[in-house]
Amino acid sequence: MAKTDFDIPQLEEYTETPALEVGTMAHSKPFVAKVQFQEPLGYPGELPEDWQKQAIDAMGDLLGKYRSLQVYLDSCVKCGACTDKCHYYLGTKDPKNMPVGRQDLLRKVYRRYFTFAGKYFPALVGAKDLTKDVLDDWYSYFHQCSQCRRCSVFCPYGIDTAEISMAAREIMARIGVGQKYCNEIIGKVFKIGNNLGLPEAALADTLEGLEEDVEDETGVAVKYPLDQKGADILLVTPSADFFAEPHVDGLIGYGKVFHEAGVSWTLSSKASEAANFGMFIGSYENMRRISMRIREAALELGVKRIIFGECGHAWRVAYSFLNTLAGPFDFLDPKYPVPQHILEFTWEEIQKGTLNIDKSANDDMVLTYHDSCNVARASRMGTEPGGQFMIPRNVIKAVCNNFVDMAPETIHENTFCCGGGGGLLTDDLMELRVKGAKPRMEALSHVIEEHGVTNMAAMCAICKSQFTKVLPYYGMSMDMIVSVHQLVSNAIVLTGQHTDEDQVSTGDEQVAA
Amino acid sequence: MSFLTITFAVLFYSATILLIVGLARRIRMYVKTPAPLKIPTTPAPTTSGGVVLRMFREVVFFESLFKATKWTWLFGWVFHMALFAVLFRHLRYFQEPVWEPVIWVSPLFKYLAFAMIIGLLGLWARRIFVDRVRYISAPSDHLMLALLLGIGVSGAMTTFVAHTDVVAVKSFFRHLMMFDFSTMPNLPEDPFMVAHLALVAALMIIFPISKLLHAPGVFFSPTRNQVDNPREQRHIAGWARKLEQ
Ligand code: HEM
Ligand code: HEM
Ligand code: SF4
Ligand code: SF4
């Protein structure tokens, strides 16, 4: 197990609500972005002298632009319904990690400067001046929210702390206090095209390598095309899919599904990233700029449809925002929704019977499935509400014999965050990530003990990376995590694939890699 | 007219104006502030009819709160439903002639004062004894409960213990509503009634500048009132459209 300078929480049989302990996470904060990571995004590099005024002005600006912010700051009745719903509170006991505790950091300043009661009776309503201490608290605790929206499910007014965190991060970025991890990555997307900074040549290389691997293994020439003009489908996928385990096994799976479905498809070097960290920092402008690459790539390549690979927040931006940010997509084939999720595509092919599936290829595993927050609570798949829960499970069950769900209060819209979403997947927040994973780890250990679960499937690049990193802290194996399309890939028998017994074991090799 | 009567006449006119103007301005602001992105908490309805149903379940049954915590739901729901019933019964102090259904329910609904009080006490107990809820409470959160309890208890006292001249109270308010000051009767000087009315005026004044804005706010919450159809229909705010030029 990794060495740590913090205590790793003890897993309980069921997640209990802890008594609060003030300030346990006050020290946690990510690195601040230096000038060179701020400026490409249109933000100043350091705190100006009149930062209070600028911050209040920024707050006023956002209040006028976002109804959510205005209504949520006004409406909270402090009923406490959300207080035990955040995985970061459950894992850290810090009351400022209760959703309402987090909101109040911004709300007390809002009240002080924007409401009658706060201006004239600050002590009565808990209004506070914006001081350096308050700003420090903002920086710390608004970077302890993974914007998972679990709180918004339970709040009687649907108050979504993610909206508050996004606004707070935007206000801070505007006064020169941006977060390094997110802003550096967005800079890379603008400059190179993806979060990992993989240039076109490296991408082409990787994809060629994949083609060789798949052909060696199966004897079938499955293509992984890049920048192919005139292809029908543009696949936009998180750049983690290009190289890291278990992500890349998912990408192999998408290619196999497309191959068997007989459609023409391509990746784009310009839009070689599905992730959109503009959402995490609450910046409409940056989120829009990142989204526009996808529109441009679709136009340049002349595709008819856009399909997204496995990524949680990317699917939120794609499903819920893409039409707004980069639409209208009237130049694409109107027969298909824009965009589609790869799981929608695969599930349809499975139903049509185009895929030849050998479920026994996954018999070495007993699977459970982690609903990613942004897919579960901020988007949909298919035509029915809740399709985002059923379609991934349907696909998993169609390619695996052994599947069990975790406890109902930890799946579907009640799902617990992996602990690393919302722009927090950085090593400088390791303590937070480990502690925030506690509720999910508890639900997982429960099904391991009760049902002999061996692996957990996920369909989000951040979840996969986070679990890979965090599982060992809790004494579990990092390669328990598999991509949903990795399971599909294992089970697909390609047309013309050589059928000797060895091939059945490819599942093991990939999982163990 | 007595000093008390004049004071309360002025007080209620002012409180009514502050309540109506304050709420109207706030609601206008909510209406005018755009929601630039589609953010319904999913699974969400895919039609407007579905959204109306979702909102109905939130407002009438407090659906989300029920999922979250049963005790808060129980006390909160009992308090609100009793409150609405009590207010419905109060129509008889303002209407002439009184609407039939109000007359039918009056004898029964007066007991709901106790439900309202029990609900408020339960909520207050939670606020005091649950460490998480205590932590998030400002003095105003306690005072708000005290105020409503004060209204409930003073009202119940006049209904069940120290009866007041309801006919005179009603006549006073009818005259206020008609702006008829010539034949306006004096308000009865019963302490419970006077306290009741003073606290009610205070409630009206703070309504638009306090967390009581949750009552209009719930209808404007984008996570609850948006239709889940972003792929079918392009949703764009005015200020965001300007970025496209
Ligand atoms: C559309 C109408 C309304 C809805 C849907 C609504 C809903 C709610 C809900 C769900 C809560 C949280 C649970 C609880 O603590 O009870 C709440 C709290 C509260 N409501 Fe309302 N409410 C409405 C109107 C009102 C009105 C008209 C008043 C007062 C005159 C009021 C006073 C309060 C107070 C004081 C609280 C906080 C209780 C506490 O301190 O725990 N509400 N409301
Ligand atoms: C201008 C507004 C109001 C007037 C003129 C008024 C008047 C009265 C009167 C005359 C009674 C006594 C009835 C009797 O003796 O039979 C009463 C009772 C009561 N009032 Fe009010 N009231 C007002 C507003 C409110 C409000 C806003 C609330 C709640 C928040 C409230 C809660 C109660 C309760 C719980 C009772 C006892 C139960 C009942 O008789 O229904 N009142 N009120
Ligand atoms: S959005 Fe998620 S991480 Fe943020 S406060 Fe709510 S529950 Fe916690
Ligand atoms: S559940 Fe909603 S209204 Fe209740 S305390 Fe939390 S944010 Fe405030």
Side-chain angles (χ1 to χ4, degrees):
Chain A
M1 191 190 301
K3 234 176 67 159
T4 57
D5 47 10
F6 55 86
D7 293 333
I8 297 157
Q10 281 290 314
L11 296 187
E12 303 159 281
E13 188 171 354
Y14 295 100
T15 303
E16 302 272 351
T17 305
L20 58 83
E21 274 176 42
V22 174
T24 60
M25 288 302 278
H27 59 279
S28 170
K29 46 190 68 168
F31 297 136
V32 177
K34 296 225 177 71
V35 184
Q36 71 266 31
F37 302 131
Q38 284 278 89
E39 277 175 350
L41 280 61
Y43 297 125
E46 56 188 82
L47 202 64
E49 213 158 277
D50 64 340
W51 63 271
Q52 274 109 332
K53 184 182 174 305
Q54 291 196 22
I56 300 303
D57 288 349
M59 191 188 286
D61 179 50
L62 295 179
L63 282 166
K65 283 180 169 169
Y66 289 88
R67 182 186 291 166
S68 52
L69 187 64
Q70 177 67 58
V71 171
Y72 295 161
L73 287 179
D74 276 348
S75 298
C76 172
V77 294
K78 312 297 172 77
C79 69
C82 60
T83 52
D84 56 351
K85 300 298 182 278
C86 178
H87 51 289
Y88 290 122
Y89 174 71
L90 296 173
T92 69
K93 311 182 178 125
D94 191 321
K96 288 179 184 167
N97 276 331
M98 302 187 299
V100 47
R102 197 186 314 288
Q103 295 160 25
D104 276 350
L105 299 174
L106 198 73
R107 187 176 285 115
K108 64 188 182 186
V109 175
Y110 163 74
R111 284 191 171 160
R112 184 75 181 104
Y113 296 87
F114 293 92
T115 70
F116 178 86
K119 277 179 193 159
Y120 301 103
F121 308 97
L124 189 67
V125 296
K128 292 268 161 57
D129 286 326
L130 178 53
T131 60
K132 191 71 184 32
D133 284 348
V134 171
L135 180 63
D136 287 346
D137 254 10
W138 281 9
Y139 194 74
S140 185
Y141 290 99
F142 286 120
H143 290 109
Q144 299 190 43
C145 169
S146 57
Q147 306 176 342
C148 75
R149 313 184 91 207
R150 192 167 193 268
C151 43
S152 88
V153 171
F154 297 99
C155 172
Y157 321 112
I159 295 179
D160 179 5
T161 316
E163 291 291 305
I164 313 278
S165 289
M166 289 172 190
R169 291 185 193 180
E170 165 77 355
I171 293 170
M172 289 189 282
R174 287 202 203 169
I175 57 167
V177 193
Q179 185 221 26
K180 172 171 180 267
Y181 170 69
C182 283
N183 293 6
E184 183 178 7
I185 280 179
I186 295 174
K188 276 191 214 155
V189 173
F190 289 151
K191 230 165 109 187
I192 304 165
N194 52 63
N195 286 12
L196 294 173
L198 298 170
E200 187 183 342
L203 275 181
D205 244 30
T206 308
L207 294 173
E208 224 169 88
L210 286 187
E211 289 178 354
E212 282 164 19
D213 291 351
V214 176
E215 187 159 5
D216 283 352
E217 224 168 84
T218 64
V220 181
V222 177
K223 293 288 160 212
Y224 292 85
L226 181 66
D227 292 332
Q228 197 163 92
K229 282 211 163 125
D232 281 347
I233 295 172
L234 167 63
L235 176 76
V236 186
T237 206
S239 53
D241 281 0
F242 296 122
F243 83 117
E245 296 284 346
H247 313 252
V248 67
D249 304 308
L251 175 58
I252 293 174
Y254 316 152
K256 287 187 183 175
V257 172
F258 287 140
H259 179 90
E260 287 300 294
V263 294
S264 71
W265 67 286
T266 185
L267 288 152
S268 150
S269 56
K270 177 177 221 163
S272 51
E273 178 60 73
N276 192 326
F277 280 27
M279 179 174 88
F280 296 157
I281 63 168
S283 165
Y284 191 97
E285 283 81 358
N286 281 295
M287 188 160 66
R288 175 167 181 275
R289 228 177 113 193
I290 297 168
S291 297
M292 287 308 277
R293 294 155 36 253
I294 294 166
R295 180 188 180 89
E296 286 156 21
L299 280 167
E300 282 163 21
L301 296 167
V303 296
K304 299 199 182 89
R305 318 162 58 173
I306 301 175
I307 295 187
F308 272 72
E310 296 182 7
C311 181
H313 85 281
W315 181 239
R316 178 181 192 188
V317 179
Y319 172 86
S320 296
F321 306 159
L322 197 68
N323 199 4
T324 298
L325 296 167
F329 287 97
D330 38 15
F331 57 91
L332 297 174
D333 188 338
K335 282 210 303 282
Y336 305 99
V338 183
Q340 278 182 295
H341 195 282
I342 184 68
L343 273 160
E344 293 179 312
F345 183 88
T346 301
W347 177 231
E348 235 166 72
E349 294 305 316
I350 290 175
Q351 285 172 301
K352 279 195 279 184
T354 29
L355 307 181
N356 186 4
I357 304 281
D358 171 17
K359 284 181 160 196
S360 68
N362 288 312
D363 275 354
D364 54 321
M365 298 184 246
V366 179
L367 284 140
T368 192
Y369 170 71
H370 168 75
D371 289 281
S372 299
C373 319
N374 276 298
V375 176
R377 291 185 282 257
S379 69
R380 174 161 53 98
M381 287 179 200
T383 51
E384 296 303 316
Q388 68 269 36
F389 311 133
M390 296 334 295
I391 290 178
R393 285 177 173 77
N394 289 347
V395 168
I396 294 173
K397 288 180 195 159
V399 299
C400 304
N401 284 314
N402 316 315
F403 175 80
V404 254
D405 255 320
M406 287 178 277
E409 65 278 11
T410 71
I411 58 168
H412 294 193
E413 70 263 41
N414 299 329
T415 189
F416 275 112
C417 174
C418 63
L424 309 180
L425 192 76
T426 169
D427 286 348
D428 35 325
L429 294 174
M430 214 52 228
E431 178 180 359
L432 178 76
R433 288 168 55 188
V434 170
K435 293 183 171 171
K438 176 174 178 272
R440 173 47 80 223
M441 292 297 115
E442 281 163 347
L444 176 61
S445 349
H446 199 68
V447 286
I448 291 176
E449 274 157 37
E450 298 279 300
H451 302 285
V453 162
T454 60
N455 293 76
M456 178 160 71
M459 41 159 295
C460 164
I462 288 177
C463 298
K464 293 175 204 171
S465 308
Q466 157 76 356
F467 285 133
T468 306
K469 191 88 177 227
V470 163
L471 277 165
Y473 284 88
Y474 289 98
M476 290 180 258
S477 154
M478 62 186 276
D479 41 56
M480 283 188 72
I481 299 304
V482 294
S483 298
V484 174
H485 270 79
Q486 171 179 359
L487 303 170
V488 176
S489 175
N490 291 345
I492 284 191
V493 184
L494 296 168
T495 320
Q497 177 163 347
H498 36 235
T499 49
D500 53 46
E501 272 306 300
D502 303 351
Q503 296 310 315
V504 178
S505 65
T506 50
D508 300 300
E509 284 162 29
Q510 285 170 0
V511 176
Chain B
M1 265 188 285
S2 70
F3 175 71
L4 183 82
T5 308
I6 298 174
T7 314
F8 270 82
V10 174
L11 183 62
F12 269 95
Y13 278 130
S14 322
T16 308
I17 291 171
L18 286 173
L19 174 69
I20 292 174
V21 173
L23 262 189
R25 285 182 43 171
R26 213 69 192 172
I27 290 174
R28 212 179 74 152
M29 180 160 106
Y30 293 162
V31 171
K32 284 178 73 176
T33 310
L37 293 164
K38 280 278 189 169
I39 59 166
T41 308
T42 57
T46 52
T47 60
S48 352
V51 165
V52 171
L53 256 178
R54 180 185 207 178
M55 195 57 87
F56 179 84
R57 293 197 308 268
E58 286 296 352
V59 172
V60 177
F61 303 120
F62 296 4
E63 185 182 40
S64 297
L65 185 64
F66 183 77
K67 282 191 246 171
T69 119
K70 300 291 183 276
W71 282 112
T72 311
W73 178 83
L74 181 70
F75 291 124
W77 191 78
V78 164
F79 155 60
H80 281 83
M81 293 309 131
L83 170 72
F84 296 136
V86 164
L87 290 180
F88 183 72
R89 183 177 185 270
H90 272 62
L91 287 177
R92 69 200 200 108
Y93 308 131
F94 303 97
Q95 289 177 327
E96 195 57 67
V98 179
W99 197 34
E100 283 284 329
V102 178
I103 298 177
W104 300 334
V105 299
S106 269
L108 263 183
F109 274 24
K110 72 173 168 193
Y111 297 105
L112 289 176
F114 299 111
M116 184 177 144
I117 291 166
I118 289 167
L120 284 166
L121 288 174
L123 288 171
W124 207 349
R126 196 178 141 79
R127 202 172 279 297
I128 293 167
F129 295 116
V130 178
D131 63 344
R132 286 165 287 125
V133 189
R134 185 168 62 233
Y135 178 89
I136 56 173
S137 301
S140 55
D141 297 310
H142 292 283
L143 278 177
M144 186 68 77
L145 290 169
L147 176 64
L148 284 162
L149 262 178
I151 295 176
V153 170
S154 58
M157 287 305 284
T158 50
T159 304
F160 299 106
V161 182
H163 295 283
T164 187
D165 182 353
V166 178
V167 177
V169 175
K170 174 166 182 173
S171 174
F172 169 78
F173 278 96
R174 288 290 304 166
H175 279 80
L176 279 187
M177 286 162 67
M178 299 297 151
F179 299 99
D180 173 3
F181 307 106
S182 53
T183 54
M184 188 138 98
N186 276 325
L187 266 179
E189 308 216 346
D190 300 328
F192 288 117
M193 197 68 245
V194 172
H196 190 65
L197 295 180
L199 294 174
V200 167
L203 181 73
M204 291 164 74
I205 292 169
I206 61 168
F207 200 100
I209 54 168
S210 69
K211 67 174 184 181
L212 296 181
L213 287 170
H214 69 282
V218 59
F219 298 100
F220 290 93
S221 172
T223 49
R224 291 290 181 268
N225 74 7
Q226 287 185 339
V227 181
D228 175 20
N229 62 355
R231 292 195 286 193
E232 289 75 28
Q233 216 166 14
R234 185 159 189 241
H235 171 92
I236 184 145
W239 64 263
R241 198 180 285 281
K242 290 203 189 98
L243 299 174
E244 295 184 354
Q245 277 138 28

